[in-house]
Amino acid sequence: MLSNESESEGGVAVVGSSNADLVNFVSKLPKSGESIQSLDFEQQFGGKGANQAMCIAKISSPNAKLVFVGAVGSDEYGKQMIENFKSNRFQNVENNVRMINNSVTGQASICVEKSSGNNIIVLVGGANMLITEEMINHSWEDIKQCKVLVCQNEIPLNVSYYALKKAKEEGLITIWNTAPAINLLNLSNELKDICNYVDYLIPNEHEAAILIGEDDSSLSFNNDQEIERSCKVLFDKLHVNNIIITLGEKGCAAYYLDEEKNDHVFKFVPAEKVENVVDSTGAGDAWVGSFAYFLSCEIPVIDSMNLSNFIAGITVQYKGAQLSYNALNSKTVLEKFEL
């Protein structure tokens, strides 16, 4: 049960990226070879890992365990991020977030179409690509106190592999948000069994086909039957117990292990319609972060998915990734679902 008491919150550790988001708001997204004028520009905090952790900070109680393991550059962006993490009660920041000398902080160049909120993003890895397995070991005393660990694909894959494997062996629930997507059927021998250490695999509808080495048209999501088939294809090829595909404004779907039935079942969880979409940047990260948090509170999978749809639906009504999370708080969730 979710409450304002940290005893009901198992804690979440996020291993991942942190970026300076350089955001241009435009009248339309540019085509190949096209130059357009920006309507507005903002600098914000971002990065998939940091976004997911920040969402958890906003919706959890003040004493909840929240660990973020990452790296920033020794530039002004990095210094600002360290202070941002501290002010949002990330645990033991000086130990868990490494400042890398002579490296730039990760950056994301983002174009947001004002009329739809749709976006395109180009990433510069920077310090994110210098995260090492040793940093996981250095933070392990904090990580192992948590119930759930989350990784993504904006840091070296061998580090995510190491963190997921170590967490799984420690008994944590492991979540892998496979974004940006890679072909999981074509990994090196050292990494090809990574899915053995993943409890929940979470791509979005655009990333799902890439994970199995196919183009976007091979999986479709136009109705329940197509969505179920796509979830089952990922399950059959990747052998992860719980497959969840996020579907943007449509909601999300899961082919997951129902422990009561002791069998895998499919479930589509629709999202409530949002009338005023301003910016979808960071909505997927809010979904993943909040889902990890709700699982840490031992909320059932489908209820957690429903809650995460609600959280993501709030964030798209505001500008920015972490900036939009300022609209979130634990009281909103408690009142909405009477938890």
Side-chain angles (χ1 to χ4, degrees):
M1 180 178 179
L2 180 66
S3 75
N4 286 318
E5 299 299 325
S6 61
E7 287 80 2
S8 65
E9 302 165 302
V12 181
V14 180
V15 176
S17 59
S18 51
N19 292 329
D21 285 355
L22 310 176
V23 187
N24 285 283
F25 294 90
V26 296
S27 59
K28 64 171 186 174
L29 297 177
K31 298 177 183 178
S32 177
E34 181 182 16
S35 297
I36 61 173
Q37 190 72 34
S38 176
L39 302 175
D40 195 10
F41 172 80
E42 293 181 3
Q43 177 190 320
Q44 303 168 2
F45 295 117
K48 299 193 73 62
N51 288 350
Q52 292 166 9
M54 192 62 66
C55 178
I56 295 166
K58 299 299 183 182
I59 64 175
S60 58
S61 72
N63 296 317
K65 290 190 287 289
L66 172 59
V67 176
F68 175 68
V69 180
V72 299
S74 55
D75 50 21
E76 194 60 34
Y77 291 143
K79 295 172 186 175
Q80 292 171 5
M81 284 181 185
I82 293 288
E83 292 308 310
N84 187 43
F85 297 152
K86 289 180 179 178
S87 65
N88 283 281
R89 61 179 180 73
F90 287 25
Q91 183 175 326
N92 205 1
V93 173
E94 296 288 358
N95 184 70
N96 297 326
V97 181
R98 193 75 58 90
M99 181 173 282
I100 309 293
N101 289 330
N102 302 316
S103 175
V104 298
T105 298
Q107 296 178 23
S109 296
I110 304 172
C111 282
V112 178
E113 186 176 60
K114 272 208 165 183
S115 60
S116 67
N118 292 331
N119 64 68
I120 55 174
I121 303 173
V122 178
L123 298 173
V124 176
N128 294 315
M129 302 312 295
L130 300 177
I131 297 173
T132 65
E133 296 172 4
E134 180 274 330
M135 294 180 192
I136 305 301
N137 291 333
H138 188 73
S139 297
W140 193 250
E141 287 302 311
D142 287 334
I143 293 172
K144 73 177 187 179
Q145 295 175 31
C146 297
K147 188 179 184 67
V148 178
L149 176 129
V150 188
C151 291
Q152 324 77 30
N153 283 346
E154 290 184 345
I155 65 172
L157 185 58
N158 67 291
V159 178
S160 292
Y161 177 98
Y162 185 78
L164 290 164
K165 184 175 187 289
K166 195 172 177 70
K168 182 71 172 174
E169 292 171 347
E170 186 78 31
L172 278 70
I173 297 169
T174 56
I175 296 174
W176 189 17
N177 173 216
T178 47
I182 56 174
N183 183 352
L184 301 185
L185 302 180
N186 192 34
L187 298 178
S188 66
N189 288 335
E190 295 81 9
L191 302 174
K192 65 182 181 181
D193 65 339
I194 188 170
C195 287
N196 292 347
Y197 308 110
V198 178
D199 291 310
Y200 292 86
L201 187 78
I202 309 180
N204 67 27
E205 60 189 310
H206 307 295
E207 298 156 350
I210 299 172
L211 301 183
I212 54 174
E214 300 183 14
D215 60 46
D216 218 17
S217 61
S218 66
L219 299 179
S220 50
F221 303 91
N222 298 311
N223 54 53
D224 283 13
Q225 291 74 27
E226 291 182 357
I227 295 169
E228 180 174 2
R229 174 190 168 276
S230 296
C231 288
K232 287 182 176 178
V233 168
L234 290 192
F235 173 79
D236 290 339
K237 294 197 175 187
L238 300 176
H239 310 292
V240 176
N241 254 341
N242 304 284
I243 300 288
I244 298 177
I245 301 177
T246 58
L247 303 166
E249 64 184 13
K250 294 192 290 289
C252 58
Y255 190 68
Y256 73 105
L257 181 61
D258 186 320
E259 294 184 356
E260 289 186 2
K261 296 180 180 178
N262 196 29
D263 197 7
H264 284 85
V265 297
F266 169 76
K267 181 68 174 179
F268 170 63
V269 182
E272 295 181 18
K273 184 173 178 56
V274 177
E275 297 294 341
N276 182 34
V277 176
V278 173
D279 182 2
S280 62
T281 306
D285 295 331
W287 198 101
V288 173
S290 61
F291 180 77
Y293 169 69
F294 297 133
L295 282 187
S296 80
C297 299
E298 300 187 354
I299 295 175
V301 173
I302 300 304
D303 291 339
S304 293
M305 291 168 65
N306 198 14
L307 283 161
S308 293
N309 282 350
F310 170 66
I311 293 295
I314 292 175
T315 68
V316 300
Q317 298 176 62
Y318 300 89
K319 281 185 178 182
Q322 291 180 32
L323 194 63
S324 71
Y325 303 166
N326 289 327
L328 303 173
N329 57 66
S330 58
K331 183 178 179 182
T332 302
V333 179
L334 290 164
E335 290 177 350
K336 173 71 176 178
F337 290 91
E338 298 180 351
L339 292 170

